[in-house]
Amino acid sequence: MARVLITRISSFGDVAMLVPVVFSVAARYPQDRFIVLTRKAFAPLFENLGFNINAVTIDVNNHHKGFWGIFRLLRSVTRYKYTHVADVHDVLRTKIIRFYMSILGKQVAHIDKGRAEKKQMIDSKVVNPPLIPTTERYMEVLEDLGFPAEMVFTNYFELKERSLYPLRAIVTEKKGHWIGIAPFSKHAEKVYPLDKMENVVAKLSQQLDTTLFLFGSGPEERALMEKWAATYSNIIAVSGKLNLENELLLMSYLDLMISMDSANMHLASLVEVPVISIWGATHPHLGFYGFGQDPNNAILSDIECNPCSVFGQVPCYRGDIACLNSISEERILKKVDEVLYSRRRIDNTDEVEQ
C-alpha cells in the first residue's frame, strides 16, 4: 500500500482546485492512501472527501515556523512513513520536504507551474491559446509518481446526503432563486469597485423570489456586508455564521454565484454552481479558471494592459484599475439573467424527461 503525501500549503483557491484531483486519483487507487499537507483552515476540504483521503496540517506561523519549525515538520513527515511525495506547491518548505524524502529513498515529483509561459502571456498580452489549467498540472505530478487517473470528480456532495438542516441558523427552506455574491479578493486589483457592486446588489435585491447570500471574511468585509444586508431587502450575510463545510453546503443550493477571481469561485465550482466571475488584473487563460466553469461566464475588459499579473498582487501602473472600472453594472446584471434563464431551461427539460 502506497502512502502518498501531497503538499499544498496555500492559497485557498489553489488548495480548493486540488480537491477534484485528489478525489479522482484516490478513487482510481482505493488500495492506497493520499494525505494532503495544508493549513488547518483548508483541511476540512479533504476530511470527508473519501475513505482513503485525509489531511495533515502545517502551522507556518508558530509550530512550523523558522529552522526548528522545519525540523519538527520533517520529523513528523518521517513518522508517518510516506512512500511518495507529490509537491504541487513548489515553495521553500515543500522543496525541503521533497528533498529530504528523496534522500530517504522515497519517490518524489513536483509541479511545473509554467512560470515562463505565464510571464510570456503577461508581457505579450496574447492570451490565446489558454495555458494548462492548474488542475491538470496537479494531475501531471501524480502521474509522474505512477498514479495516472481520469478526472471523475463532479460534485463535492455527490456521495453525500444534503440537507438544509445544518444551515438552519440562517435559512430553513429554499424559495425562488438563490444567488451568492462574493465581492472581495485578497488584492485590490481583483476587486470590482464596491460602489458598483453595491449597485448590482441593490438591483438584484429588488427582484421577486430572489435571495442574496453575501460571502466573505475579515472584520471590514463583514461590516460592509452587514451594512448591505441592513440597507437592502432579501439579503443574508454569511460571514462568521457557518463553518467551511456548511458554506459549501449552502453554495450547493445556489442557482448562481457572482465572484471575483478568488477562492469563492473555486468553492462554488466544487459544487457545480455556475459562477459569473469578474476579472481585473488577472486572466482566466492563465490557468486559474474555476473547475468545470463555462468560459462564457467570465466577465473581463478588453483593455490593452490586461493581464498585468498572474495573481493580482502587482499594483495598477495606471493607478485607476481601468480593467475593473470599465465593466458596467448592466453587463453583470445581463449575464445574471442569461445564466438564470439557462438554468430554468435545463430544469424544465429535466422535468419533461422525467
Side-chain angles (χ1 to χ4, degrees):
M1 178 186 76
R3 292 179 59 84
V4 184
L5 178 66
I6 304 170
T7 56
R8 181 76 222 193
I9 300 171
S10 62
S11 60
F12 198 176
D14 296 291
V15 175
M17 284 189 282
L18 184 57
V19 169
V21 175
V22 175
F23 176 91
S24 299
V25 174
R28 173 66 178 81
Y29 301 95
Q31 73 278 11
D32 300 315
R33 293 201 64 82
F34 298 86
I35 301 94
V36 179
L37 175 69
T38 192
R39 293 176 187 253
K40 183 178 180 180
F42 311 148
L45 289 173
F46 305 95
E47 289 172 351
N48 298 303
L49 194 60
F51 73 92
N52 59 339
I53 301 170
N54 65 286
V56 292
T57 60
I58 180 171
D59 182 1
V60 298
N61 296 318
N62 293 293
H63 190 62
H64 297 124
K65 182 179 181 180
F67 173 81
W68 291 111
I70 292 291
F71 177 78
R72 283 190 287 268
L73 178 61
L74 294 178
R75 188 170 59 181
S76 66
V77 166
T78 305
R79 185 185 311 131
Y80 287 107
K81 299 180 179 179
Y82 299 113
T83 59
H84 302 72
V85 177
D87 180 2
V88 298
H89 200 172
D90 195 34
V91 294
L92 180 59
R93 284 185 176 87
T94 62
K95 288 178 180 178
I96 292 173
I97 291 172
R98 76 171 191 253
F99 176 73
Y100 175 71
M101 295 298 277
S102 69
I103 291 176
L104 296 179
K106 312 302 180 183
Q107 295 185 53
V108 302
H110 69 278
I111 190 170
D112 174 8
K113 290 185 173 180
R115 291 185 176 95
E117 307 153 56
K118 290 170 182 173
K119 184 179 185 302
Q120 173 65 22
M121 184 173 284
I122 296 297
D123 292 344
S124 68
K125 313 304 179 189
V126 178
V127 295
N128 286 303
L131 301 184
I132 299 172
T134 297
T135 48
E136 291 186 21
R137 293 185 186 274
Y138 291 164
M139 289 288 267
E140 288 174 355
V141 178
L142 286 152
E143 183 174 353
D144 289 344
L145 278 182
F147 299 94
E150 296 293 325
M151 185 70 78
V152 296
F153 177 89
T154 56
N155 192 308
Y156 186 82
F157 291 102
E158 181 181 8
L159 303 178
K160 306 174 188 180
E161 288 190 16
R162 289 189 311 149
S163 166
L164 285 172
Y165 184 75
L167 308 176
R168 62 192 181 280
I170 61 172
V171 68
T172 55
E173 62 177 330
K174 180 173 182 179
K175 294 181 179 178
H177 292 125
W178 283 10
I179 299 176
I181 300 179
F184 304 104
S185 187
K186 183 177 180 180
H187 303 292
E189 281 72 17
K190 297 202 295 183
V191 178
Y192 188 60
L194 293 174
D195 57 336
K196 294 165 75 74
M197 181 57 79
E198 183 174 359
N199 291 336
V200 172
V201 168
K203 289 286 187 181
L204 291 175
S205 71
Q206 296 170 7
Q207 294 187 2
L208 296 176
D209 297 324
T210 298
T211 302
L212 306 182
F213 296 88
L214 305 181
F215 293 85
S217 61
E220 293 182 6
E221 297 177 5
R222 186 178 303 178
L224 181 60
M225 291 187 292
E226 293 289 354
K227 178 183 176 182
W228 288 355
T231 303
Y232 307 104
S233 57
N234 305 315
I235 296 179
I236 298 174
V238 175
S239 179
K241 298 175 183 176
L242 299 173
N243 61 25
L244 177 56
E245 180 144 6
N246 283 339
E247 277 204 12
L248 276 170
L249 178 61
L250 175 59
M251 286 184 188
S252 74
Y253 285 98
L254 298 178
D255 297 287
L256 168 67
M257 170 71 86
I258 301 173
S259 174
M260 307 301 103
D261 169 20
S262 69
N264 281 296
M265 171 181 67
H266 298 294
L267 293 177
S269 299
L270 295 182
V271 290
E272 290 188 288
V273 170
V275 179
I276 295 175
S277 52
I278 303 171
W279 298 73
T282 56
H283 197 285
H285 286 185
L286 282 162
F288 300 102
Y289 197 50
F291 175 78
Q293 290 295 329
D294 183 345
N296 293 320
N297 290 341
I299 295 180
L300 60 162
S301 67
D302 294 327
I303 192 166
E304 68 281 354
C305 55
N306 176 266
C308 64
S309 88
V310 176
F311 305 110
Q313 79 281 22
V314 179
C316 175
Y317 83 93
R318 296 168 49 120
D320 59 358
I321 314 184
C323 54
L324 286 163
N325 278 294
S326 62
I327 298 172
S328 69
E329 297 96 314
E330 289 73 21
R331 184 177 171 191
I332 297 171
L333 292 167
K334 181 180 179 182
K335 179 60 71 173
V336 169
D337 288 340
E338 289 177 8
V339 174
L340 290 180
Y341 174 76
S342 177
R343 292 272 289 185
R344 283 194 297 268
R345 187 172 55 187
I346 292 172
D347 291 342
N348 291 336
T349 301
D350 290 342
E351 290 178 3
V352 170
E353 290 178 351
Q354 291 174 2

